[in-house]
Amino acid sequence: MKTQQKGFVIAIDGPAAAGKGTIVQLLTEHFKGVNIYTGGMYRALALKCIRSDIDLNDSEQIIHILNETKIDLGADGSMGAVAQIFLDGGNVTNEIRTPKAALGAGKVGQIKQVRQVMLFKQREIAQRFVDQGRVVIIDGQDIARSVYPQAKVKIFLTATQEERAKRRKKQYDKQGINKTMSDMLEEIKIRDTNDFTRELHPLSNVPEKDGYSVVDSTNLNELETKDAIVEIVSKNK
């Protein structure tokens, strides 16, 4: 009788545009695992607010609309290599990858009640797949400390602000979104300020002390970054 493999979680945190999304896809393929795209959940809520003309600074209205919103990960919760985000039954995977949704995610994510609801859902999904013996890759900004602190492997993926701005601009160029490098760098700086200084679950300023293995991808390509993380995982098995 074949023994079921023991499931575990790889938590990948880091600032905006550090390349988490792409690396998570590569890791999911490598481990034949399950990807839980937490950032997409916040982006989906921001998109719902934008569609409903709700001020992203109006926490009361955002909490109200969250209670009437259904956000799912994948058609059946199993996403394979590409995370699929469903908002009220519709696939919004592409729509949430816009500047407005990205900045909106940072704002709604600062609301305590919103994070409590999202964290509960994320833990529930992750544990279900771990119990099935799957390798679960979760990326976000405070996964290892808030969502799933018992993660076997904790990665802090980062890069310089200039490199992250360049990567985000390239992504937007492909989508036909016109942004200058100056615009992108300013956007990254604003997002970093929000993410590192917010009161609720901020990004770690001292990742090594918080138990992370830090991977700086500034001078690494995607495959090199993936390989660096795979090596860390192999040492922690």
Side-chain angles (χ1 to χ4, degrees):
M1 182 177 178
K2 186 176 180 181
T3 303
Q4 182 185 44
Q5 74 168 13
K6 191 173 181 179
F8 64 91
V9 169
I10 301 172
I12 303 180
D13 291 327
K20 297 187 296 292
T22 300
I23 298 308
V24 163
Q25 290 183 28
L26 294 174
L27 289 172
T28 303
E29 292 170 352
H30 179 88
F31 291 106
K32 295 180 174 59
V34 177
N35 165 220
I36 297 176
Y37 179 27
T38 60
M41 296 174 71
Y42 290 101
R43 284 174 177 246
L45 176 59
L47 177 63
K48 177 76 171 281
C49 292
I50 292 167
R51 286 176 172 179
S52 304
D53 292 323
I54 290 176
D55 186 343
L56 290 172
N57 294 307
D58 189 337
S59 59
E60 187 175 331
Q61 284 281 357
I62 293 169
I63 293 166
H64 177 74
I65 201 170
L66 174 59
N67 293 327
E68 301 176 344
T69 301
K70 184 177 181 181
I71 299 173
D72 290 327
L73 303 179
D76 60 355
S78 180
M79 294 158 287
V82 179
Q84 298 293 307
I85 303 296
F86 288 79
L87 175 63
D88 295 328
N91 191 328
V92 295
T93 306
N94 293 324
E95 287 182 75
I96 61 174
R97 298 187 183 281
T98 64
K100 283 187 177 180
L103 290 175
K107 289 187 175 182
V108 301
Q110 295 182 55
I111 302 170
K112 183 177 181 179
Q113 293 92 328
V114 169
R115 291 191 73 85
Q116 287 174 335
V117 171
M118 295 294 196
L119 293 180
F120 179 82
K121 182 64 175 175
Q122 291 156 9
R123 289 187 190 118
E124 184 182 62
I125 296 170
Q127 192 58 51
R128 182 170 74 244
F129 285 112
V130 167
D131 291 343
Q132 293 174 7
R134 304 291 297 276
V135 176
V136 180
I137 300 99
I138 316 177
D139 69 299
Q141 296 201 323
D142 198 39
I143 303 301
R145 295 186 301 170
S146 300
V147 178
Y148 210 89
Q150 65 269 46
K152 180 180 282 290
V153 181
K154 302 175 182 180
I155 303 294
F156 194 88
L157 181 62
T158 190
T160 64
Q161 288 185 327
E162 290 75 14
E163 178 62 23
R164 288 186 283 128
K166 183 166 59 175
R167 292 174 183 175
R168 183 54 58 86
K169 184 179 186 306
K170 184 177 180 181
Q171 180 186 62
Y172 285 167
D173 286 345
K174 288 182 179 178
Q175 296 175 312
I177 299 171
N178 295 318
K179 289 272 189 176
T180 67
M181 268 300 296
S182 179
D183 289 338
M184 293 314 311
L185 186 56
E186 183 63 20
E187 183 178 309
I188 290 295
K189 288 179 177 179
I190 291 172
R191 183 69 188 273
D192 280 358
T193 297
N194 289 337
D195 293 340
F196 280 101
T197 64
R198 64 177 176 243
E199 182 179 353
L200 190 65
H201 305 308
L203 262 169
S204 174
N205 283 300
V206 283
E208 294 93 343
K209 291 184 179 179
D210 285 326
Y212 290 97
S213 295
V214 178
V215 176
D216 188 329
S217 67
T218 301
N219 298 311
L220 301 177
N221 63 33
E222 293 167 353
L223 289 177
E224 289 170 336
T225 303
K226 184 266 291 184
D227 289 343
I229 294 174
V230 169
E231 184 176 352
I232 292 170
V233 173
S234 67
K235 291 178 180 178
N236 282 275
K237 274 190 173 183

